[in-house]
Each structure stands twice: as C-alpha cells, then as structure tokens.
Amino acid sequence: MLRITDARTGDFVAAAPVRRGLTRVEAHPPGSGMTGLRVLLAADLLVRALELGGTPVWALLSCEREPAELVAGAAALGIRPFEHSRDADPGLGEAQVIHVVTEGGNAPDGVRFAVAPVQSEAPEGADPAALRLALLSRPRAASVRLDEAVLGEADETLRRWRSAVAAWAHRPSRPVPDEVRGRLRTAWEDDLDVPEVLATLRWAETEPGLPDGARFETYAYADRLLGLDLTRDLGAPA
C-alpha cells in the first residue's frame, strides 16, 4: 500500500484508503518555472504509483489559467497531461483527495503532498530526460540545484542505462526476481522514495548474481514509474 506524508500534519497516510476507490491527485504549480514543473512531476509519479497498485486516479491541474509554457515544459519532461480543474465535473465520489503543492503552499482541504523548490542553472537546450532524472534523484522534500555538472551526471547515467537495457534485451528473458520487485515496491510505496528506486537500479546494474534478462525486465518494470524511456534504444544498431 502506498503511504505518503501529509504535509499538514506530518503523519503517514494511505494514498488510497479505499481499495479500488477513486483518488483525485490535484497539482498546484506556483508557475511555469522549474519549481512548478517539479510539482507536476511529483504529481505524475504519484499517479503512476497509484495506477501500478490498481487504484483509479483522476489527475487535475489547478491554476488560474493553463499557461502554454507550463504545458509545453511538462510534455517535454514526459509528464502526462492533466485535466484542467476549471473544466472538471465535480462530485465524482473520490475516496481521497491529494493536493501536490510546494512547501508551505496553500491548497483546499485534503492531504498535502509537498515538494521543495528548484534552483535552476540549467543550460539552454538541456536534454529534458536528463532534467527529469536529475529531479528524480533528489528526495522530494530536499531542494534541487540544477546546474551543468548535475545535468551532465544525469545525462551520462541515462545514456549508460539505455545502452545497457538495449544490450540486455538480446539475452534470454528472465522474470524480475521477487526480491528485486519487493525492493522497488517497498521504496516507492514508502512516501514515494524515488531515490531509493534509482539506488535499486544501480545495484541491479552490477549485481553478479542477476541474469541480464532479469536486469532488462527490472529496468523495464521500474520505468513504468520513472518514465525515463529506458527501453528507447531497443533495436538500435550496436
């Protein structure tokens, strides 16, 4: 069961308290900058984690208007579209409402899922996938500084993983080991601890007892949450 910290109280709460009950995830970006995009990214991950657990989700974007710059930036980061709250039909009988906000941000009644701000020094034309990985690599409650060094490290990791996944795909298929699947799910169900998910992938990358076919399936499975397109290079020339 996915449990998250409610920023109002500091308590752990179930993200989906009713089995198969609808959960509304409402993102409240403070603007179209990187902090606003981090709020949308956190909401995107929350939706993905809930869906992986079998929970139906209603994803909403709450802001006075829907700026084109924010929508374009979210799409570039691989964030799936949100329905705009002003166009939504209220009263769908959701069992839980989670508001994704910046630290100290205001929101209507409901659980608050807080995200720390971003200090961006990202160079012009930075790879959006590297930006996404850099944002995912820090705990949600910790501020992020995006600079050339951080993005360079994320880009190097992303290239290495995509190349490895493409190579592992040529090996005999093996299922994700129960231990590895358990580590991944324990991480993301514990307050959406994405850095621990990434740490598990780093472990799986070099663990000598793990067959390459199982490495491939592990990365493909984790990417259903991460949204890094790790299987992008399948079929590409070696």
Side-chain angles (χ1 to χ4, degrees):
M1 176 190 296
L2 174 61
R3 294 173 64 83
I4 58 176
T5 302
D6 184 351
R8 298 173 308 164
T9 63
D11 294 335
F12 249 12
V13 299
V18 177
R19 181 173 174 80
R20 306 299 181 187
L22 177 67
T23 292
R24 169 156 55 102
V25 174
E26 189 163 338
H28 300 263
S32 57
M34 286 306 304
T35 297
L37 288 172
R38 193 184 192 194
V39 168
L40 287 181
L41 178 58
D44 180 56
L45 290 168
L46 186 55
V47 169
R48 289 169 181 262
L50 286 164
E51 289 178 342
L52 282 167
T55 298
V57 186
W58 185 24
L60 292 178
L61 171 62
S62 180
C63 53
E64 292 184 2
R65 56 191 181 90
E66 194 173 8
E69 184 180 356
L70 178 66
V71 173
L77 283 178
I79 296 169
R80 295 180 294 183
F82 286 67
E83 185 177 354
H84 202 289
S85 61
R86 69 185 177 194
D87 302 323
D89 181 18
L92 291 184
E94 59 268 24
Q96 176 79 288
V97 180
I98 303 173
H99 297 282
V100 185
V101 299
T102 51
E103 287 181 342
N106 294 321
D109 290 342
V111 175
R112 293 184 189 175
F113 193 62
V115 178
V118 179
Q119 297 177 333
S120 181
E121 301 170 14
E124 192 72 24
D127 180 3
L131 279 169
R132 184 177 178 109
L133 178 55
L135 290 170
L136 296 180
S137 297
R138 291 283 290 166
R140 187 184 68 258
S143 60
V144 176
R145 180 176 179 178
L146 296 177
D147 56 24
E148 192 169 353
V150 168
L151 291 174
E153 181 180 353
D155 184 68
E156 180 182 349
T157 298
L158 198 57
R159 290 174 185 271
R160 187 180 75 249
W161 281 356
R162 284 174 171 171
S163 176
V165 167
W168 296 332
H170 294 290
R171 307 296 293 171
S173 180
R174 295 288 188 275
V176 181
D178 290 342
E179 174 197 356
V180 179
R181 187 184 295 270
R183 286 179 60 167
L184 290 170
R185 293 200 71 98
T186 296
W188 77 56
E189 290 180 353
D190 180 15
D191 206 20
L192 205 57
D193 189 353
V194 179
E196 184 58 29
V197 172
L198 295 172
T200 301
L201 291 186
R202 293 188 184 95
W203 169 84
E205 182 181 9
T206 58
E207 169 57 32
L210 200 61
D212 286 348
R215 295 187 216 276
F216 171 82
E217 295 296 345
T218 295
Y219 273 65
Y221 175 66
D223 204 37
R224 293 171 62 188
L225 173 77
L226 300 173
L228 292 170
D229 201 9
L230 296 178
T231 60
R232 189 194 69 177
D233 292 344
L234 264 62

